[in-house]
Amino acid sequence: MSNGNASELDLVIINGKLVIPPDVTSSSIGVRGGKIAAIGTDLSGLAAKKTIDAKGNYILPGVVDPEAHLAVHRSLKDDFISETKAALAGGVTTWGLMLTSPTISREYKEFKDPEDSVPFSQVIPILQELGDANSMVDYFLTPLVATDAQVEEIPRLAEEFGATSFKYYLHLKRGRDTLGQWEPQRKVGIYGFDDGTVFIGMEHVGRLGPPCIVCIHPENWEIIRVMQARLISQGRKDNSAWDHRSPHFVEAMHVRQYAYLAKVTNCPLYIVHTTTQETVDEIIRARNEGVRVISETGYHYLALDHNVYKINVPLRDRATMKKLWAAMAKGDIDCVGSDHVNHGVPREKMEVKGDVWKTISGFSSRVEALLPVMLSEGVNKGRISLPRLVEVCCENPAKAFGLYPKKGLLRVGSDADLVLVDLKKKQKINKSMLFTTAGWSVFEGWEMTGWPYLVLLRGEVALEWNEKEQKANVVGKPRGRYLARKLGHAVYPLDA
Amino acid sequence: MSNGNASELDLVIINGKLVIPPDVTSSSIGVRGGKIAAIGTDLSGLAAKKTIDAKGNYILPGVVDPEAHLAVHRSLKDDFISETKAALAGGVTTWGLMLTSPTISREYKEFKDPEDSVPFSQVIPILQELGDANSMVDYFLTPLVATDAQVEEIPRLAEEFGATSFKYYLHLKRGRDTLGQWEPQRKVGIYGFDDGTVFIGMEHVGRLGPPCIVCIHPENWEIIRVMQARLISQGRKDNSAWDHRSPHFVEAMHVRQYAYLAKVTNCPLYIVHTTTQETVDEIIRARNEGVRVISETGYHYLALDHNVYKINVPLRDRATMKKLWAAMAKGDIDCVGSDHVNHGVPREKMEVKGDVWKTISGFSSRVEALLPVMLSEGVNKGRISLPRLVEVCCENPAKAFGLYPKKGLLRVGSDADLVLVDLKKKQKINKSMLFTTAGWSVFEGWEMTGWPYLVLLRGEVALEWNEKEQKANVVGKPRGRYLARKLGHAVYPLDA
Amino acid sequence: MSNGNASELDLVIINGKLVIPPDVTSSSIGVRGGKIAAIGTDLSGLAAKKTIDAKGNYILPGVVDPEAHLAVHRSLKDDFISETKAALAGGVTTWGLMLTSPTISREYKEFKDPEDSVPFSQVIPILQELGDANSMVDYFLTPLVATDAQVEEIPRLAEEFGATSFKYYLHLKRGRDTLGQWEPQRKVGIYGFDDGTVFIGMEHVGRLGPPCIVCIHPENWEIIRVMQARLISQGRKDNSAWDHRSPHFVEAMHVRQYAYLAKVTNCPLYIVHTTTQETVDEIIRARNEGVRVISETGYHYLALDHNVYKINVPLRDRATMKKLWAAMAKGDIDCVGSDHVNHGVPREKMEVKGDVWKTISGFSSRVEALLPVMLSEGVNKGRISLPRLVEVCCENPAKAFGLYPKKGLLRVGSDADLVLVDLKKKQKINKSMLFTTAGWSVFEGWEMTGWPYLVLLRGEVALEWNEKEQKANVVGKPRGRYLARKLGHAVYPLDA
Amino acid sequence: MSNGNASELDLVIINGKLVIPPDVTSSSIGVRGGKIAAIGTDLSGLAAKKTIDAKGNYILPGVVDPEAHLAVHRSLKDDFISETKAALAGGVTTWGLMLTSPTISREYKEFKDPEDSVPFSQVIPILQELGDANSMVDYFLTPLVATDAQVEEIPRLAEEFGATSFKYYLHLKRGRDTLGQWEPQRKVGIYGFDDGTVFIGMEHVGRLGPPCIVCIHPENWEIIRVMQARLISQGRKDNSAWDHRSPHFVEAMHVRQYAYLAKVTNCPLYIVHTTTQETVDEIIRARNEGVRVISETGYHYLALDHNVYKINVPLRDRATMKKLWAAMAKGDIDCVGSDHVNHGVPREKMEVKGDVWKTISGFSSRVEALLPVMLSEGVNKGRISLPRLVEVCCENPAKAFGLYPKKGLLRVGSDADLVLVDLKKKQKINKSMLFTTAGWSVFEGWEMTGWPYLVLLRGEVALEWNEKEQKANVVGKPRGRYLARKLGHAVYPLDA
């Protein structure tokens, strides 16, 4: 009946509910060689080295989180070691790292000189070496470009290193000229660039074609400096002042103007933070003009209002959060990201209560609550369906960054990155369960409904939360691999 | 290792290339109980009653052809018997029948009285009885509505009969008042309606929600009557005069105006014939306004120019055909239909050479060449990819009409409607291979590259073309079933 | 110093405030030969046969009312005799008559046969004869076309008779097929036409070029028949049901669809009744597409809400009225019309109190209150400025219909059609002051602020309201003249 | 007949053809107290101190040239003395001076320090003193703002000094950071600003309301630096490289992005150089969004192609020039400006033949040929009508800058700024006829048809070209006056 080892599966997961947009199928899933080898209503006839009973729980593809900022406050190696565990805990199996070139090095330092912006071709080998040795999840690089020299390297980066996505920190365009010395700027080493730099990059990306894409952080700090001065002079110090400092149009304006350049250069555009309806409106306008625009929002913009903390771009008010959920449900927002960063210090060392100006911006460890919050606030509160969650957290980011269908979906031939979710599990978030070395989460005390309890990376368990334990366990050694995208292929060629 | 019969497959197809948009996977596919039970790189471990070796050929989902007009010139029973075989030959396993109520009866007649437009609730049982007894393919009904009474029945039709799509012959809105007695009109029994009738139907559909949809044949014959009179007075008799009689704007204008009503009533709109760039432009405009518009074109509009034959809406010029292919590749045209009809007479009895006005419009048996033409003219000539063909011929029509994911894709749990395609096979189209009783095809003499050689309906072979034979063989008895869509479900609930 | 009689003025009006958009100039105005011969701060040096002291009151150009329906319920001659006096009282010196061909005849009758729709070329001589003998105001004809034969005559009508504007009663497109026998339809003799008829007319107008224009009454009665049946079945009989019978989109939809035909044919479009924001939105959309669209609203849509009376298109609610004023102030609505008609019977014979369905639609004598209402409700309530009133009541209608700058403004060389207005005069409207033979006004009892007290037609006093009298007096004999527009001239050539 | 001196005119011009858009009237025009006191077909009855016979020639309002750059290369006083004579020769009677604050001083210098950007309130009195003493034409100031301090002064400038228009040199936003030290930048003293500075200014202007307006020079030099480097590396040195250095989208992009800010701040926007179809398209888009946008082009962009000379923004190719004429005729471009500047040196000292990079940009004395070129290239070549010329050269600039109807048209009460034009006069442009101290014109050698031969400023002859002489003569002393606009009045209040 069976013809032996040749067809033997490494693993079969039975009694699962596979979330394959637009719906859910009761099915088993078989894994061999790290890939999904079979999907079937009954695979019990197939020999398998190991069987996992999903007990009717949902099986999702591993989350593809397109936005993580490692090596900002610590060495890249240290962040790889600790933060990729946090990523696993958040359901992430593929991590998009948005890094400046100087931060990719073996030792952490603060950067002071434009000379630190070395070519990415020089540092990607370091990234691969550190990542392949220390990362618990697969990862790809979105170079955070900042100089003409760096963007002129784009064709080589795409061809040689499979780096096909490139990000501009538009708020830092003028470097310190806008708001003076900004701490993170010194830490990551961006010294200012201009629209010429953006244009060169977009031109390269447009010519190279899919899967190349340009990502932008849209936020016009030249206008923000005016707002900030006004708010300070008014004596405002509350957290919501940070939202008012960066009014909606300041984000939307950048989308409008760079969507125009994208049109001129035939360059696809990825909006890293879509946090306002005005931005959504500009994205729709641009699409109507024929520009390919993909929009991401951070899950924190969906879950946290502007009274909670300080971050760039700012958290918004509750009315806006509602609109963002609706835009996501409707299809105007495509992707979710964590925007993860680790400051490496406790909350008390960052936050100055009652003074938003003195508080350090950007709460730590966003990735760890990614999937729980999306399940609890999104699916279980009826704002999006579970298949839609898989689209925005897995499928669409994989498509946007040239990894689909290798990553982002449940399909024979794809990587067996799997997340088993107990949609009814209730779990309060607390310090002791965190993997990030920052040691705190802005979500502490939230009781979530829905939790990922088993995460597999390419067919092998990487994280599991045993029923009686108080936290998840990371399983095994770092097995994460650098993901080189394939130039010339809008979709990742599985057979190649 | 295996647990015996419980997991035994009815059939396994090995060595296939599964076309699952956006790409192709080398895989086997297992069938049990008429459904796809397993997909795997190697399913040889699973017991199977029967094995088919695809020998590296492509496996597509069965074509979902949304537009067939049976019972226009013959009885519905007769057309079910012969024409569903033709459909199988064209790769079709799910057929959308667009029928007026009077034509659904046991005997064929010509209709002369508005009283013939009986309620659809009265005739759908007849349709089911005739179809379930005689159809070789699964089928669903899109009532061709024409009276207030019929559109007022829509909620009942959707709830009781799973008829959720409704079509208006907009060109016949004023009945015989526009162009006098039109032969097909007499045959199908449409006596004229008005925008009120359209409005009532759209209102019902908008309120009922997905998967309900309104389909339109957009073509303003009130303007055509002016054009026709001019062309006749100019002495034009060539086939292309038929195109000039119905200039592009006459089609696009209807899309614009009814997309407006669709917006007002929150009603999804399906454009049955998209044959001009102007129509595509209006569709894009409507989408930009937030109207859900799905666009179909007939494959004949892609393959045949306006010198070939007379049909409503007309074939267009070669420049327009090129634009339609581009619109399909780009995503602006979603679906392909056959617009099949069988006049039951040879070409000589329809065509008056050199006089388009005397020629009977609408060449017979369009369905039979559907997939071959799309493979040969589309895929093998590089105009669309094979995954895109599956989207426009299978996935999108299934989605549009509420049958996805039961129909239209290769996925565990879906119906095992499968088409095996030899993409390199060369085959000249000739009379002797046809199943339609019309006995002729406008494509006679065309040598196609790429041909479907095995068609399975719900897991069982329905048509096969043995290597040494000159034509395909229909296999087995009629097994086609009426497909009731599920009101309240945007996608077809597989588990229900 | 002076060279005698050659330069002597026939009349000089001193101490006036000339309303010349965008502002007002204190000035005198001299008339010679029926035309404005001089404007000056001090013309006292010029000899003048007669002097009128304006005493600081405003001088406006005579109102150009583009929409009057004479001969609907009485003979054209009778309406010319009485209703042009009413027009003068309303400040009108140029009247656009929108007439069907059968109503232009010496005797009044009701029309029953399509054969009554004789060519306009046959009846315009009658119109000229009756008008030149009996009209107190200058007048031009906008043929209300309704048959192919009539629209095929357009080039001849424009060239030979200077009839360059043409109107379609779109609500009556299908004649009695839509709502059965409609009384006014029988009276004016429109038996139904189709989009072919509209297309032919637009094609002619587009080819002929300025000042040719097509006017439409946009209101889709095919949908209205559905609404009407619902309201009746709900037992609604109040006046506002008439508004709900014709929801906003029913008007806007026609604008959208015929603006498309106008684009295709390069034909300027004049929207006779713009009564909803939705219509305004469609007008803006059409303009954005490059279609030349001019929009009119009736002043009654600005002043009367839907509880007041029944009329086609209906009066609207107060929120909509507010939007119409705003659209007029902003420039989205260009023109004001009276839509005058005279039923010849008292209100009691038309209105069935409490039953809108039995009430006869269309209150009488709209023209008589035109300028008073615009002054009182518009200017004195701060909704529009006096210069804007002159634009919408004089300048823009004159431009739209090819009469500018002969009519519609105060300028040397233009016809000396002048209206002196006391902007502070308070006057209650009552039956005894009316000139219409209908003998009643829907505005009875309204106290207006601002009133025209002297009207000159081509330099001669035509109506005056002496200070101590209770009503105005018509002065002199009928001097109105038929105005032939000049084909080939976007503006009326004064020197020709 | 006459009542003596009270009504006596200072001047009457008889036998003129008054160009009053949209047409032309044969008429006389009388002047008293510097204003137009009467217009009439025959004013011979009015006493007049002086009579001029126009002999059938056209009488235009004096040109309102909104864009002149004095004091760039010489002292403001010197430029006032010589260049306002050149303006008169070009038909200009009202000059819009666009000046930075440091250049308004008694002595000319080059500026090196940001401290030179003193408040405008400090220098406007100097401007008034110098201008009122030395200018041959009326003039108004459009401050060329460049610092936060300057834009924060806007409310005061508008209220106290009637300065209601403000210009941003967007190409110099980043000061010397973009292209290094740019010579004119050093000369006028702009050291770089940012979008915050623009935002503050727009916010003030939006709040102050009409006639306030923000003017922009749209040209993104950040992208130009990339283009320039490429062209230089390709060895390009020809004049057209200057066009390719600043591709169309670089101009249009600025319009798009600042039109967005204008929308956000409700600020009217004046596009100083509209030189591409792409820019026109953006202007139309912005208007469609409800932004008030007025567009100017320099007449040199209509007459000179990119092979002729180097200027910012660049001259374009002939196909583009044709589109600009069409946009002006159609109404998409509203105004014409001269962009006058005087380098004070002969062509040989500026131009390095064959090396566009070494040539000094900006040919001198543009104003002197303004009206002749518009008459010859525009009217006499049939590209625009004479009334349209008056709209774009007089009426629209006057409206845009809050001077209408005081300036820009022929109307009783307006300033008697008059230009008599012989539309058939042929005249070759040569050095000897020039008034500018630069002493050369890029139009030398062109034979023009149509020439202004008499210019009156507020009723008095300021320049005349006697029939037998080889050049025009300036008549009388400097009588130019500073024009303070009236805040709170969209149109200039003549009676105030």
Side-chain angles (χ1 to χ4, degrees), chain A residues 154-317:
Chain A
I154 283 176
R156 185 182 170 200
L157 298 179
E159 284 159 23
E160 254 179 63
F161 298 95
T164 57
S165 47
F166 306 92
K167 180 174 174 183
Y168 290 93
Y169 263 161
L170 292 179
H171 55 317
L172 302 184
K173 240 188 354 170
R174 290 173 75 107
R176 68 193 68 176
D177 287 353
T178 303
L179 278 171
Q181 191 67 291
W182 184 55
E183 183 244 18
Q185 192 170 342
R186 190 182 70 241
K187 291 198 169 181
V188 299
I190 290 189
Y191 311 94
F193 53 95
D194 69 8
D195 286 348
T197 314
V198 180
F199 175 73
I200 296 168
M202 285 189 166
E203 218 184 25
H204 280 307
V205 163
R207 281 179 191 154
L208 289 165
C212 291
I213 194 163
V214 158
C215 309
I216 59 171
H217 172 127
E219 197 183 20
N220 191 334
W221 279 25
E222 302 177 29
I223 292 170
I224 279 181
R225 70 161 178 86
V226 175
M227 298 300 173
Q228 178 169 312
R230 289 179 187 176
L231 290 160
I232 289 173
S233 79
Q234 289 162 13
R236 287 281 300 277
K237 293 186 175 183
D238 57 299
N239 279 340
S240 73
W242 198 250
D243 178 13
H244 302 146
R245 166 189 178 269
S246 180
H248 293 197
F249 77 87
V250 153
E251 180 180 302
M253 182 191 182
H254 262 175
V255 173
R256 177 174 290 205
Q257 76 192 70
Y258 293 97
Y260 183 80
L261 263 195
K263 186 184 174 191
V264 166
T265 54
N266 194 30
C267 170
L269 197 59
Y270 185 92
I271 309 303
V272 176
H273 312 108
T274 305
T275 75
T276 77
Q277 182 61 45
E278 288 80 351
T279 306
V280 171
D281 292 344
E282 290 305 317
I283 288 166
I284 293 171
R285 277 175 64 104
R287 287 173 179 163
N288 288 351
E289 277 195 279
V291 186
R292 183 164 180 245
V293 186
I294 297 165
S295 64
E296 175 196 313
T297 195
Y299 80 92
H300 38 302
Y301 297 110
L302 298 164
L304 304 173
D305 74 28
H306 60 194
N307 297 307
V308 174
Y309 212 88
K310 168 185 184 177
I311 187 174
N312 297 312
V313 296
L315 301 171
R316 304 297 187 178
D317 63 19

Side-chain angles (χ1 to χ4, degrees), chain D residues 124-180:
Chain D
I124 294 182
I126 302 174
L127 172 78
Q128 288 188 253
E129 185 192 322
L130 292 173
D132 289 6
N134 300 295
S135 180
M136 299 301 297
V137 296
D138 285 354
Y139 60 97
F140 63 94
L141 175 68
T142 295
L144 246 164
V145 291
T147 68
D148 283 14
Q150 288 183 335
V151 293
E152 291 288 15
E153 247 199 329
I154 284 177
R156 184 182 170 201
L157 298 179
E159 284 158 24
E160 255 179 60
F161 298 95
T164 58
S165 47
F166 306 92
K167 182 174 176 184
Y168 290 93
Y169 262 162
L170 293 178
H171 55 315
L172 302 184
K173 239 189 353 171
R174 290 173 75 106
R176 66 193 70 175
D177 287 354
T178 303
L179 278 170

Side-chain angles (χ1 to χ4, degrees), chain B residues 69-94:
Chain B
H69 301 283
L70 304 189
V72 177
H73 306 281
R74 303 163 72 223
S75 80
L76 178 57
K77 178 179 172 184
D78 289 346
D79 267 359
F80 260 130
I81 291 171
S82 63
E83 303 310 302
T84 58
K85 292 174 185 160
L88 279 177
V92 174
T93 51
T94 299

Side-chain angles (χ1 to χ4, degrees), chain A residues 23 32 40 60 77 135 165 172 212 233 259 268 273 276 306-307 318 326 360 393 430 440 454 460 489 492:
Chain A
D23 71 355
R32 186 166 45 228
L60 280 60
K77 180 180 171 184
S135 180
S165 47
L172 302 184
C212 291
S233 79
H273 312 108
T276 77
H306 60 194
N307 297 307
R318 298 212 155 258
I360 292 172
C393 291
N430 58 62
W440 67 282
L454 192 70
E460 292 182 36
H489 296 267
Y492 194 96

Side-chain angles (χ1 to χ4, degrees), chain A residues 23 25 37 39-41 44 288 411, chain B residues 3 23 25 37 39 41 288 411:
Chain A
D23 71 355
T25 308
I39 292 175
T41 45
S44 58
N288 288 351
R411 169 179 165 156
Chain B
N3 50 11
D23 72 354
T25 309
I39 293 174
T41 46
N288 289 351
R411 167 178 167 157

Side-chain angles (χ1 to χ4, degrees), chain D residues 323-430:
Chain D
K323 287 177 188 167
L324 293 179
W325 276 115
M328 177 171 286
K330 192 185 162 203
D332 292 331
I333 293 180
D334 307 298
C335 302
V336 162
S338 74
D339 201 3
H340 184 81
V341 70
N342 173 23
H343 292 77
V345 295
R347 180 165 183 160
E348 297 73 38
K349 294 225 169 165
M350 295 182 64
E351 191 175 25
V352 179
K353 291 238 176 189
D355 193 341
V356 73
W357 311 110
K358 291 188 181 149
T359 294
I360 292 172
S361 75
F363 43 88
S364 288
S365 191
R366 273 159 250 162
V367 75
E368 213 149 351
L370 198 170
L371 191 51
V373 167
M374 290 302 291
L375 291 167
S376 189
E377 294 290 303
V379 176
N380 275 318
K381 292 196 173 165
R383 287 158 173 155
I384 55 169
S385 67
L386 196 50
R388 181 68 187 149
L389 180 149
V390 165
E391 287 177 342
V392 297
C393 290
C394 314
E395 186 173 315
N396 290 344
K399 283 179 175 168
F401 290 91
L403 293 166
Y404 185 88
K406 178 181 180 62
K407 302 288 189 185
L409 80 169
L410 301 181
R411 168 178 166 158
V412 171
S414 300
D415 283 359
D417 299 338
L418 306 174
V419 179
L420 274 67
V421 162
D422 179 348
L423 200 56
K424 297 193 171 162
K425 178 175 180 176
K426 289 188 186 301
Q427 175 64 43
K428 188 173 283 190
I429 294 179
N430 59 62

Side-chain angles (χ1 to χ4, degrees), chain B residues 303-451:
Chain B
L304 304 173
D305 75 27
H306 61 194
N307 297 308
V308 174
Y309 211 87
K310 169 186 184 177
I311 186 173
N312 297 312
V313 297
L315 302 171
R316 304 297 187 177
D317 63 19
R318 298 211 154 259
T320 302
M321 292 161 62
K322 197 172 169 185
K323 287 177 188 168
L324 294 178
W325 276 117
M328 177 171 287
K330 191 187 164 202
D332 292 331
I333 293 180
D334 307 299
C335 300
V336 162
S338 76
D339 200 2
H340 183 80
V341 71
N342 173 22
H343 292 78
V345 295
R347 180 165 182 161
E348 300 71 40
K349 294 225 169 166
M350 295 181 65
E351 190 175 26
V352 178
K353 292 238 178 190
D355 192 340
V356 74
W357 311 109
K358 292 188 180 150
T359 294
I360 292 173
S361 76
F363 44 87
S364 288
S365 191
R366 273 159 249 162
V367 76
E368 214 148 352
L370 197 170
L371 192 50
V373 167
M374 290 302 292
L375 291 167
S376 189
E377 294 290 303
V379 176
N380 276 318
K381 292 198 172 164
R383 287 158 174 155
I384 55 171
S385 67
L386 197 49
R388 181 68 187 150
L389 180 150
V390 165
E391 287 176 342
V392 297
C393 291
C394 314
E395 185 172 315
N396 290 345
K399 283 179 176 169
F401 289 92
L403 293 165
Y404 184 90
K406 177 181 179 64
K407 302 287 189 187
L409 79 170
L410 302 180
R411 167 178 167 157
V412 171
S414 301
D415 283 359
D417 299 338
L418 306 174
V419 179
L420 274 66
V421 162
D422 179 349
L423 199 55
K424 297 192 171 163
K425 178 174 179 175
K426 288 189 185 300
Q427 176 63 43
K428 187 173 282 189
I429 294 178
N430 58 61
K431 271 197 178 57
S432 67
M433 66 199 290
L434 299 177
F435 288 94
T436 177
T437 62
W440 67 282
S441 163
V442 75
F443 291 101
E444 282 167 43
W446 286 46
E447 189 177 76
M448 317 308 293
T449 305
W451 203 271

